[in-house]
Short mmCIF file of all heavy atoms in Angstrom, two decimals:
data_model
loop_
_atom_site.label_atom_id
_atom_site.label_comp_id
_atom_site.label_asym_id
_atom_site.label_seq_id
_atom_site.Cartn_x
_atom_site.Cartn_y
_atom_site.Cartn_z
N ASP A 191 0.84 -1.17 0.00
CA ASP A 191 0.00 0.00 0.00
C ASP A 191 0.89 1.25 0.00
O ASP A 191 1.83 1.36 0.80
CB ASP A 191 -0.88 -0.04 1.24
CG ASP A 191 -1.94 1.03 1.27
OD1 ASP A 191 -1.72 2.12 0.74
OD2 ASP A 191 -3.00 0.76 1.84
N PHE A 192 0.61 2.18 -0.88
CA PHE A 192 1.42 3.39 -1.01
C PHE A 192 1.47 4.18 0.30
O PHE A 192 2.49 4.81 0.61
CB PHE A 192 0.87 4.26 -2.14
CG PHE A 192 1.74 5.44 -2.45
CD1 PHE A 192 2.83 5.30 -3.28
CD2 PHE A 192 1.47 6.68 -1.90
CE1 PHE A 192 3.64 6.39 -3.57
CE2 PHE A 192 2.27 7.77 -2.18
CZ PHE A 192 3.36 7.62 -3.01
N ARG A 193 0.41 4.12 1.07
CA ARG A 193 0.37 4.87 2.34
C ARG A 193 1.45 4.42 3.30
O ARG A 193 1.89 5.18 4.16
CB ARG A 193 -1.01 4.75 2.98
CG ARG A 193 -2.08 5.49 2.18
CD ARG A 193 -3.43 5.19 2.71
NE ARG A 193 -3.71 3.77 2.44
CZ ARG A 193 -4.86 3.19 2.67
NH1 ARG A 193 -5.85 3.86 3.20
NH2 ARG A 193 -5.05 1.92 2.39
N ASP A 194 1.90 3.17 3.17
CA ASP A 194 2.99 2.68 4.02
C ASP A 194 4.25 3.51 3.81
O ASP A 194 4.98 3.78 4.77
CB ASP A 194 3.28 1.21 3.73
CG ASP A 194 2.16 0.28 4.18
OD1 ASP A 194 1.33 0.70 5.01
OD2 ASP A 194 2.12 -0.86 3.67
N TYR A 195 4.51 3.90 2.57
CA TYR A 195 5.69 4.74 2.30
C TYR A 195 5.56 6.07 3.04
O TYR A 195 6.53 6.56 3.62
CB TYR A 195 5.83 5.01 0.80
CG TYR A 195 6.16 3.81 -0.03
CD1 TYR A 195 5.28 3.37 -1.01
CD2 TYR A 195 7.34 3.11 0.14
CE1 TYR A 195 5.57 2.27 -1.79
CE2 TYR A 195 7.64 2.00 -0.63
CZ TYR A 195 6.75 1.59 -1.60
OH TYR A 195 7.05 0.50 -2.36
N LEU A 196 4.37 6.67 3.01
CA LEU A 196 4.18 7.96 3.67
C LEU A 196 4.32 7.84 5.18
O LEU A 196 4.88 8.72 5.83
CB LEU A 196 2.83 8.54 3.30
CG LEU A 196 2.59 8.78 1.81
CD1 LEU A 196 1.23 9.41 1.58
CD2 LEU A 196 3.69 9.60 1.19
N CYS A 197 3.83 6.75 5.74
CA CYS A 197 3.99 6.52 7.18
C CYS A 197 5.46 6.33 7.54
O CYS A 197 5.92 6.84 8.57
CB CYS A 197 3.18 5.30 7.62
SG CYS A 197 1.41 5.59 7.62
N ASP A 198 6.21 5.62 6.69
CA ASP A 198 7.63 5.42 6.93
C ASP A 198 8.38 6.76 6.89
O ASP A 198 9.22 7.03 7.75
CB ASP A 198 8.24 4.46 5.91
CG ASP A 198 7.79 3.03 6.10
OD1 ASP A 198 7.21 2.71 7.17
OD2 ASP A 198 7.99 2.22 5.18
N VAL A 199 8.07 7.58 5.89
CA VAL A 199 8.71 8.90 5.80
C VAL A 199 8.35 9.73 7.03
O VAL A 199 9.21 10.41 7.60
CB VAL A 199 8.31 9.62 4.50
CG1 VAL A 199 8.85 11.05 4.50
CG2 VAL A 199 8.83 8.88 3.29
N ASP A 200 7.11 9.67 7.46
CA ASP A 200 6.69 10.44 8.63
C ASP A 200 7.49 10.03 9.87
O ASP A 200 7.88 10.87 10.66
CB ASP A 200 5.19 10.26 8.86
CG ASP A 200 4.61 11.35 9.74
OD1 ASP A 200 4.95 12.53 9.54
OD2 ASP A 200 3.82 11.01 10.63
N THR A 201 7.74 8.75 10.02
CA THR A 201 8.54 8.26 11.14
C THR A 201 9.96 8.82 11.08
O THR A 201 10.50 9.29 12.09
CB THR A 201 8.58 6.72 11.14
OG1 THR A 201 7.25 6.23 11.29
CG2 THR A 201 9.46 6.18 12.26
N VAL A 202 10.56 8.81 9.90
CA VAL A 202 11.92 9.32 9.73
C VAL A 202 11.95 10.83 9.97
O VAL A 202 12.86 11.34 10.63
CB VAL A 202 12.47 8.96 8.34
CG1 VAL A 202 13.80 9.66 8.07
CG2 VAL A 202 12.63 7.45 8.21
N VAL A 203 10.97 11.56 9.44
CA VAL A 203 10.91 13.02 9.63
C VAL A 203 10.78 13.35 11.12
O VAL A 203 11.49 14.22 11.63
CB VAL A 203 9.75 13.63 8.81
CG1 VAL A 203 9.46 15.06 9.24
CG2 VAL A 203 10.08 13.57 7.32
N ASP A 204 9.89 12.66 11.81
CA ASP A 204 9.74 12.91 13.26
C ASP A 204 11.03 12.65 14.01
O ASP A 204 11.41 13.41 14.90
CB ASP A 204 8.60 12.06 13.83
CG ASP A 204 7.23 12.54 13.42
OD1 ASP A 204 7.10 13.69 12.94
OD2 ASP A 204 6.27 11.75 13.57
N HIS A 205 11.71 11.56 13.66
CA HIS A 205 12.98 11.22 14.32
C HIS A 205 14.04 12.29 14.02
O HIS A 205 14.75 12.74 14.94
CB HIS A 205 13.46 9.85 13.85
CG HIS A 205 14.76 9.44 14.46
ND1 HIS A 205 14.87 9.04 15.78
CD2 HIS A 205 16.01 9.40 13.96
CE1 HIS A 205 16.13 8.75 16.05
NE2 HIS A 205 16.84 8.97 14.96
N ALA A 206 14.14 12.71 12.76
CA ALA A 206 15.13 13.72 12.38
C ALA A 206 14.85 15.05 13.10
O ALA A 206 15.78 15.71 13.56
CB ALA A 206 15.13 13.91 10.87
N ARG A 207 13.59 15.43 13.18
CA ARG A 207 13.24 16.68 13.88
C ARG A 207 13.59 16.60 15.36
O ARG A 207 14.04 17.58 15.96
CB ARG A 207 11.75 16.98 13.73
CG ARG A 207 11.35 17.48 12.38
CD ARG A 207 11.72 18.94 12.24
NE ARG A 207 11.18 19.47 10.99
CZ ARG A 207 11.79 20.39 10.28
NH1 ARG A 207 12.92 20.90 10.68
NH2 ARG A 207 11.25 20.82 9.16
N LYS A 208 13.38 15.43 15.94
CA LYS A 208 13.70 15.25 17.36
C LYS A 208 15.21 15.31 17.60
O LYS A 208 15.67 15.93 18.56
CB LYS A 208 13.14 13.92 17.85
CG LYS A 208 13.36 13.66 19.32
CD LYS A 208 12.75 12.33 19.74
CE LYS A 208 13.06 12.05 21.19
NZ LYS A 208 12.60 10.73 21.61
N GLU A 209 15.97 14.67 16.73
CA GLU A 209 17.42 14.61 16.90
C GLU A 209 18.12 15.91 16.53
O GLU A 209 19.15 16.26 17.10
CB GLU A 209 18.01 13.47 16.05
CG GLU A 209 17.63 12.09 16.55
CD GLU A 209 18.24 11.77 17.90
OE1 GLU A 209 19.44 12.03 18.11
OE2 GLU A 209 17.49 11.25 18.76
N PHE A 210 17.58 16.62 15.54
CA PHE A 210 18.22 17.84 15.03
C PHE A 210 17.18 18.95 14.88
O PHE A 210 16.88 19.39 13.77
CB PHE A 210 18.89 17.55 13.68
CG PHE A 210 19.82 16.38 13.70
CD1 PHE A 210 19.42 15.14 13.21
CD2 PHE A 210 21.10 16.49 14.24
CE1 PHE A 210 20.28 14.05 13.23
CE2 PHE A 210 21.95 15.41 14.27
CZ PHE A 210 21.55 14.18 13.77
N PRO A 211 16.63 19.43 15.98
CA PRO A 211 15.50 20.35 15.90
C PRO A 211 15.78 21.71 15.25
O PRO A 211 14.86 22.35 14.76
CB PRO A 211 15.09 20.54 17.37
CG PRO A 211 16.30 20.18 18.16
CD PRO A 211 17.03 19.16 17.36
N VAL A 212 17.03 22.15 15.23
CA VAL A 212 17.31 23.47 14.67
C VAL A 212 17.78 23.43 13.21
O VAL A 212 17.90 24.49 12.58
CB VAL A 212 18.35 24.24 15.53
CG1 VAL A 212 17.81 24.47 16.93
CG2 VAL A 212 19.68 23.53 15.55
N LEU A 213 18.02 22.25 12.68
CA LEU A 213 18.49 22.14 11.30
C LEU A 213 17.32 22.10 10.33
O LEU A 213 16.28 21.52 10.64
CB LEU A 213 19.34 20.88 11.12
CG LEU A 213 20.65 20.82 11.89
CD1 LEU A 213 21.37 19.50 11.61
CD2 LEU A 213 21.54 21.99 11.51
N PRO A 214 17.49 22.66 9.12
CA PRO A 214 16.44 22.53 8.12
C PRO A 214 16.35 21.07 7.65
O PRO A 214 17.35 20.36 7.65
CB PRO A 214 16.89 23.45 6.98
CG PRO A 214 18.34 23.68 7.21
CD PRO A 214 18.60 23.48 8.66
N LEU A 215 15.16 20.67 7.28
CA LEU A 215 14.93 19.28 6.88
C LEU A 215 14.37 19.24 5.46
O LEU A 215 13.32 19.83 5.19
CB LEU A 215 13.96 18.60 7.85
CG LEU A 215 13.60 17.16 7.57
CD1 LEU A 215 14.84 16.27 7.62
CD2 LEU A 215 12.58 16.68 8.58
N PHE A 216 15.09 18.58 4.58
CA PHE A 216 14.68 18.44 3.19
C PHE A 216 14.52 16.97 2.85
O PHE A 216 15.27 16.13 3.35
CB PHE A 216 15.74 19.04 2.25
CG PHE A 216 15.77 20.53 2.25
CD1 PHE A 216 16.42 21.22 3.25
CD2 PHE A 216 15.12 21.24 1.26
CE1 PHE A 216 16.44 22.60 3.27
CE2 PHE A 216 15.13 22.63 1.27
CZ PHE A 216 15.80 23.31 2.27
N LEU A 217 13.55 16.67 2.01
CA LEU A 217 13.39 15.33 1.47
C LEU A 217 14.03 15.30 0.09
O LEU A 217 13.89 16.25 -0.69
CB LEU A 217 11.91 14.97 1.33
CG LEU A 217 11.10 14.88 2.61
CD1 LEU A 217 9.63 14.57 2.28
CD2 LEU A 217 11.66 13.82 3.53
N ILE A 218 14.72 14.21 -0.21
CA ILE A 218 15.34 14.04 -1.52
C ILE A 218 14.85 12.71 -2.07
O ILE A 218 14.90 11.68 -1.38
CB ILE A 218 16.88 14.03 -1.41
CG1 ILE A 218 17.36 15.35 -0.81
CG2 ILE A 218 17.52 13.77 -2.76
CD1 ILE A 218 18.84 15.39 -0.50
N GLY A 219 14.37 12.72 -3.31
CA GLY A 219 13.88 11.49 -3.90
C GLY A 219 14.03 11.47 -5.40
O GLY A 219 13.91 12.49 -6.08
N HIS A 220 14.31 10.29 -5.93
CA HIS A 220 14.42 10.09 -7.38
C HIS A 220 13.40 9.05 -7.82
O HIS A 220 13.19 8.04 -7.13
CB HIS A 220 15.84 9.62 -7.74
CG HIS A 220 15.96 9.22 -9.17
ND1 HIS A 220 15.95 10.14 -10.20
CD2 HIS A 220 16.07 8.01 -9.75
CE1 HIS A 220 16.05 9.50 -11.35
NE2 HIS A 220 16.12 8.20 -11.09
N SER A 221 12.78 9.28 -8.94
CA SER A 221 11.81 8.37 -9.53
C SER A 221 10.66 8.13 -8.55
O SER A 221 10.01 9.07 -8.12
CB SER A 221 12.50 7.07 -9.96
OG SER A 221 11.63 6.29 -10.74
N MET A 222 10.43 6.90 -8.13
CA MET A 222 9.34 6.64 -7.19
C MET A 222 9.60 7.33 -5.85
O MET A 222 8.67 7.78 -5.18
CB MET A 222 9.14 5.15 -6.97
CG MET A 222 7.94 4.86 -6.11
SD MET A 222 7.62 3.11 -6.03
CE MET A 222 6.41 3.08 -4.74
N GLY A 223 10.86 7.45 -5.46
CA GLY A 223 11.19 8.19 -4.25
C GLY A 223 10.81 9.64 -4.35
O GLY A 223 10.42 10.27 -3.37
N GLY A 224 10.89 10.21 -5.56
CA GLY A 224 10.45 11.57 -5.78
C GLY A 224 8.95 11.69 -5.63
O GLY A 224 8.44 12.67 -5.10
N LEU A 225 8.22 10.68 -6.10
CA LEU A 225 6.77 10.65 -5.93
C LEU A 225 6.42 10.58 -4.45
O LEU A 225 5.55 11.31 -3.97
CB LEU A 225 6.16 9.46 -6.67
CG LEU A 225 4.69 9.18 -6.41
CD1 LEU A 225 3.82 10.35 -6.84
CD2 LEU A 225 4.26 7.91 -7.11
N VAL A 226 7.11 9.73 -3.71
CA VAL A 226 6.86 9.60 -2.27
C VAL A 226 7.16 10.92 -1.56
O VAL A 226 6.36 11.39 -0.74
CB VAL A 226 7.69 8.44 -1.67
CG1 VAL A 226 7.56 8.41 -0.15
CG2 VAL A 226 7.25 7.10 -2.26
N ALA A 227 8.29 11.54 -1.89
CA ALA A 227 8.65 12.82 -1.26
C ALA A 227 7.62 13.90 -1.58
O ALA A 227 7.20 14.65 -0.69
CB ALA A 227 10.04 13.26 -1.72
N ALA A 228 7.20 13.98 -2.83
CA ALA A 228 6.22 14.99 -3.23
C ALA A 228 4.87 14.74 -2.57
O ALA A 228 4.21 15.67 -2.09
CB ALA A 228 6.08 15.01 -4.74
N ALA A 229 4.44 13.48 -2.53
CA ALA A 229 3.16 13.15 -1.91
C ALA A 229 3.20 13.44 -0.41
O ALA A 229 2.23 13.95 0.16
CB ALA A 229 2.81 11.68 -2.17
N TYR A 230 4.32 13.13 0.23
CA TYR A 230 4.45 13.40 1.66
C TYR A 230 4.39 14.90 1.93
O TYR A 230 3.65 15.34 2.82
CB TYR A 230 5.75 12.82 2.21
CG TYR A 230 5.90 13.10 3.69
CD1 TYR A 230 5.30 12.27 4.62
CD2 TYR A 230 6.59 14.21 4.14
CE1 TYR A 230 5.39 12.55 5.98
CE2 TYR A 230 6.68 14.49 5.49
CZ TYR A 230 6.09 13.66 6.40
OH TYR A 230 6.17 13.93 7.75
N ALA A 231 5.14 15.68 1.16
CA ALA A 231 5.15 17.13 1.37
C ALA A 231 3.78 17.73 1.12
O ALA A 231 3.36 18.65 1.82
CB ALA A 231 6.21 17.77 0.47
N ALA A 232 3.06 17.21 0.14
CA ALA A 232 1.71 17.71 -0.15
C ALA A 232 0.74 17.35 0.97
O ALA A 232 -0.15 18.14 1.31
CB ALA A 232 1.21 17.15 -1.47
N ALA A 233 0.91 16.18 1.55
CA ALA A 233 0.01 15.72 2.61
C ALA A 233 0.34 16.33 3.96
O ALA A 233 -0.50 16.34 4.85
CB ALA A 233 0.05 14.19 2.70
N HIS A 234 1.58 16.81 4.13
CA HIS A 234 2.04 17.35 5.41
C HIS A 234 2.68 18.72 5.21
O HIS A 234 3.88 18.89 5.45
CB HIS A 234 3.05 16.39 6.05
CG HIS A 234 2.52 15.03 6.30
ND1 HIS A 234 1.78 14.73 7.41
CD2 HIS A 234 2.61 13.89 5.58
CE1 HIS A 234 1.43 13.45 7.37
NE2 HIS A 234 1.91 12.93 6.26
N PRO A 235 1.89 19.71 4.79
CA PRO A 235 2.49 21.04 4.55
C PRO A 235 3.15 21.59 5.81
O PRO A 235 2.60 21.50 6.90
CB PRO A 235 1.31 21.90 4.11
CG PRO A 235 0.08 21.14 4.46
CD PRO A 235 0.46 19.70 4.61
N GLY A 236 4.36 22.10 5.63
CA GLY A 236 5.08 22.71 6.74
C GLY A 236 5.89 21.75 7.59
O GLY A 236 6.65 22.18 8.44
N LYS A 237 5.76 20.46 7.35
CA LYS A 237 6.48 19.50 8.19
C LYS A 237 7.94 19.36 7.75
O LYS A 237 8.79 19.00 8.55
CB LYS A 237 5.78 18.14 8.17
CG LYS A 237 6.17 17.29 9.35
CD LYS A 237 5.10 16.34 9.77
CE LYS A 237 5.59 15.59 10.99
NZ LYS A 237 4.79 14.45 11.31
N VAL A 238 8.23 19.62 6.47
CA VAL A 238 9.61 19.64 5.99
C VAL A 238 9.86 21.02 5.39
O VAL A 238 8.94 21.74 5.02
CB VAL A 238 9.89 18.53 4.95
CG1 VAL A 238 9.79 17.16 5.59
CG2 VAL A 238 8.99 18.63 3.75
N ASP A 239 11.12 21.38 5.31
CA ASP A 239 11.49 22.70 4.81
C ASP A 239 11.54 22.76 3.29
O ASP A 239 11.54 23.84 2.71
CB ASP A 239 12.83 23.13 5.41
CG ASP A 239 12.72 23.27 6.92
OD1 ASP A 239 11.89 24.08 7.38
OD2 ASP A 239 13.44 22.55 7.64
N GLY A 240 11.62 21.62 2.65
CA GLY A 240 11.65 21.59 1.19
C GLY A 240 11.87 20.19 0.70
O GLY A 240 12.03 19.24 1.48
N GLU A 241 11.86 20.07 -0.62
CA GLU A 241 12.09 18.76 -1.23
C GLU A 241 12.88 18.94 -2.51
O GLU A 241 12.78 19.97 -3.17
CB GLU A 241 10.77 18.05 -1.50
CG GLU A 241 9.86 18.83 -2.41
CD GLU A 241 8.49 18.22 -2.56
OE1 GLU A 241 8.39 17.24 -3.31
OE2 GLU A 241 7.56 18.74 -1.95
N VAL A 242 13.67 17.93 -2.82
CA VAL A 242 14.42 17.89 -4.06
C VAL A 242 14.04 16.58 -4.74
O VAL A 242 14.19 15.50 -4.16
CB VAL A 242 15.95 17.91 -3.80
CG1 VAL A 242 16.72 17.80 -5.10
CG2 VAL A 242 16.34 19.16 -3.02
N THR A 243 13.50 16.68 -5.95
CA THR A 243 13.11 15.48 -6.67
C THR A 243 13.74 15.48 -8.06
O THR A 243 13.94 16.54 -8.66
CB THR A 243 11.58 15.37 -6.82
OG1 THR A 243 11.09 16.46 -7.59
CG2 THR A 243 10.90 15.35 -5.47
N THR A 244 14.07 14.30 -8.54
CA THR A 244 14.56 14.12 -9.90
C THR A 244 13.81 12.97 -10.52
O THR A 244 13.63 11.92 -9.89
CB THR A 244 16.07 13.82 -9.94
OG1 THR A 244 16.33 12.61 -9.25
CG2 THR A 244 16.88 14.96 -9.33
N GLY A 245 13.32 13.17 -11.71
CA GLY A 245 12.60 12.11 -12.41
C GLY A 245 11.40 11.62 -11.63
O GLY A 245 11.05 10.44 -11.70
N ALA A 246 10.77 12.49 -10.86
CA ALA A 246 9.65 12.08 -10.00
C ALA A 246 8.42 11.75 -10.84
O ALA A 246 8.10 12.44 -11.80
CB ALA A 246 9.32 13.19 -9.01
N ALA A 247 7.72 10.71 -10.44
CA ALA A 247 6.51 10.27 -11.14
C ALA A 247 5.30 11.03 -10.61
O ALA A 247 4.29 10.43 -10.24
CB ALA A 247 6.35 8.76 -10.96
N VAL A 248 5.38 12.35 -10.57
CA VAL A 248 4.33 13.14 -9.92
C VAL A 248 3.03 13.19 -10.70
O VAL A 248 2.00 13.56 -10.15
CB VAL A 248 4.81 14.58 -9.60
CG1 VAL A 248 5.87 14.55 -8.52
CG2 VAL A 248 5.30 15.28 -10.84
N ARG A 249 3.03 12.79 -11.94
CA ARG A 249 1.76 12.74 -12.67
C ARG A 249 0.81 11.72 -12.06
O ARG A 249 -0.38 11.77 -12.27
CB ARG A 249 2.00 12.40 -14.14
CG ARG A 249 2.55 13.53 -14.93
CD ARG A 249 2.59 13.17 -16.39
NE ARG A 249 3.05 14.31 -17.15
CZ ARG A 249 3.19 14.31 -18.44
NH1 ARG A 249 2.90 13.22 -19.12
NH2 ARG A 249 3.61 15.38 -19.07
N LEU A 250 1.33 10.80 -11.29
CA LEU A 250 0.50 9.78 -10.64
C LEU A 250 -0.19 10.30 -9.39
O LEU A 250 -1.13 9.69 -8.91
CB LEU A 250 1.36 8.57 -10.26
CG LEU A 250 2.03 7.82 -11.39
CD1 LEU A 250 2.90 6.71 -10.83
CD2 LEU A 250 0.99 7.25 -12.33
N MET A 251 0.26 11.43 -8.85
CA MET A 251 -0.28 11.90 -7.57
C MET A 251 -1.80 12.05 -7.56
O MET A 251 -2.45 11.55 -6.66
CB MET A 251 0.40 13.19 -7.13
CG MET A 251 1.76 12.94 -6.53
SD MET A 251 2.61 14.42 -5.96
CE MET A 251 1.53 15.00 -4.69
N PRO A 252 -2.42 12.72 -8.54
CA PRO A 252 -3.88 12.85 -8.48
C PRO A 252 -4.59 11.50 -8.58
O PRO A 252 -5.65 11.30 -7.99
CB PRO A 252 -4.23 13.74 -9.68
CG PRO A 252 -2.97 14.45 -10.01
CD PRO A 252 -1.86 13.51 -9.63
N ALA A 253 -4.00 10.56 -9.29
CA ALA A 253 -4.63 9.25 -9.46
C ALA A 253 -4.57 8.40 -8.20
O ALA A 253 -5.34 7.46 -8.05
CB ALA A 253 -3.96 8.50 -10.61
N LEU A 254 -3.68 8.72 -7.28
CA LEU A 254 -3.56 7.91 -6.07
C LEU A 254 -4.82 8.01 -5.23
O LEU A 254 -5.34 7.01 -4.77
CB LEU A 254 -2.34 8.35 -5.25
CG LEU A 254 -1.00 8.03 -5.88
CD1 LEU A 254 0.13 8.62 -5.05
CD2 LEU A 254 -0.81 6.54 -6.03
N ASN A 255 -5.28 9.23 -4.97
CA ASN A 255 -6.54 9.46 -4.26
C ASN A 255 -6.73 8.53 -3.07
O ASN A 255 -7.73 7.85 -2.94
CB ASN A 255 -7.72 9.35 -5.22
CG ASN A 255 -8.98 9.94 -4.63
OD1 ASN A 255 -8.91 10.77 -3.72
ND2 ASN A 255 -10.12 9.54 -5.12
N PHE A 256 -5.73 8.46 -2.21
CA PHE A 256 -5.79 7.56 -1.06
C PHE A 256 -6.25 8.31 0.18
O PHE A 256 -5.92 9.48 0.35
CB PHE A 256 -4.44 6.89 -0.82
CG PHE A 256 -3.30 7.86 -0.85
CD1 PHE A 256 -2.97 8.61 0.26
CD2 PHE A 256 -2.54 8.00 -1.99
CE1 PHE A 256 -1.92 9.50 0.23
CE2 PHE A 256 -1.48 8.89 -2.03
CZ PHE A 256 -1.17 9.63 -0.92
N PRO A 257 -7.00 7.65 1.05
CA PRO A 257 -7.40 8.30 2.30
C PRO A 257 -6.21 8.36 3.26
O PRO A 257 -5.32 7.52 3.19
CB PRO A 257 -8.50 7.39 2.84
CG PRO A 257 -8.20 6.06 2.25
CD PRO A 257 -7.57 6.32 0.91
N PRO A 258 -6.18 9.34 4.16
CA PRO A 258 -5.06 9.41 5.12
C PRO A 258 -5.09 8.26 6.10
O PRO A 258 -6.15 7.73 6.41
CB PRO A 258 -5.30 10.76 5.83
CG PRO A 258 -6.75 11.04 5.65
CD PRO A 258 -7.14 10.40 4.34
N THR A 259 -3.91 7.86 6.53
CA THR A 259 -3.81 6.83 7.55
C THR A 259 -3.89 7.48 8.92
O THR A 259 -3.88 8.70 9.04
CB THR A 259 -2.47 6.07 7.43
OG1 THR A 259 -1.43 7.00 7.68
CG2 THR A 259 -2.31 5.43 6.06
N ASN A 260 -3.92 6.69 9.97
CA ASN A 260 -3.97 7.24 11.33
C ASN A 260 -2.75 8.10 11.61
O ASN A 260 -2.86 9.11 12.29
CB ASN A 260 -4.07 6.11 12.34
CG ASN A 260 -5.44 5.46 12.33
OD1 ASN A 260 -6.42 6.08 11.92
ND2 ASN A 260 -5.51 4.22 12.75
N ALA A 261 -1.58 7.70 11.10
CA ALA A 261 -0.37 8.46 11.35
C ALA A 261 -0.42 9.81 10.64
O ALA A 261 0.25 10.75 11.05
CB ALA A 261 0.85 7.68 10.86
N GLU A 262 -1.20 9.92 9.57
CA GLU A 262 -1.28 11.14 8.79
C GLU A 262 -2.36 12.09 9.28
O GLU A 262 -2.46 13.21 8.82
CB GLU A 262 -1.52 10.82 7.32
CG GLU A 262 -0.40 10.02 6.71
CD GLU A 262 -0.75 9.54 5.33
OE1 GLU A 262 -1.92 9.26 5.04
OE2 GLU A 262 0.19 9.44 4.52
N LYS A 263 -3.22 11.67 10.17
CA LYS A 263 -4.33 12.50 10.64
C LYS A 263 -3.87 13.46 11.71
O LYS A 263 -2.95 13.31 12.38
CB LYS A 263 -5.46 11.64 11.19
CG LYS A 263 -6.14 10.86 10.08
CD LYS A 263 -7.25 10.02 10.65
CE LYS A 263 -7.90 9.21 9.54
NZ LYS A 263 -8.88 8.30 10.02
#
């Protein structure tokens, strides 16, 4: 399930923010990782400082139309 990727990223983001609270946090992703980074940033505005994507499959984002998980609420 694609939502598992977003939950995994959320766990890593929370951990990084806890360990390094004053540093800026960027997501970096290529191809499907770019899609995951873009979808995460869209679903969690303000939770990361930015994203860098290359070859991201972002045309798939509207087609995903997935409901949020408990971790995303």
Side-chain angles (χ1 to χ4, degrees):
D191 188 328
F192 187 83
R193 291 171 293 186
D194 291 341
Y195 293 118
L196 301 182
C197 288
D198 289 347
V199 173
D200 199 44
T201 299
V202 172
V203 166
D204 287 344
H205 179 74
R207 285 282 187 214
K208 182 179 176 185
E209 291 294 315
F210 307 101
V212 298
L213 296 179
L215 179 61
F216 287 81
L217 296 178
I218 300 173
H220 172 72
S221 191
M222 185 173 170
L225 171 61
V226 173
Y230 180 84
H234 301 278
K237 200 151 183 194
V238 294
D239 297 301
E241 59 186 283
V242 177
T243 63
T244 61
V248 292
R249 285 187 176 180
L250 298 176
M251 282 181 63
L254 291 175
N255 196 21
F256 47 83
T259 64
N260 288 337
E262 298 172 327
K263 291 180 182 174

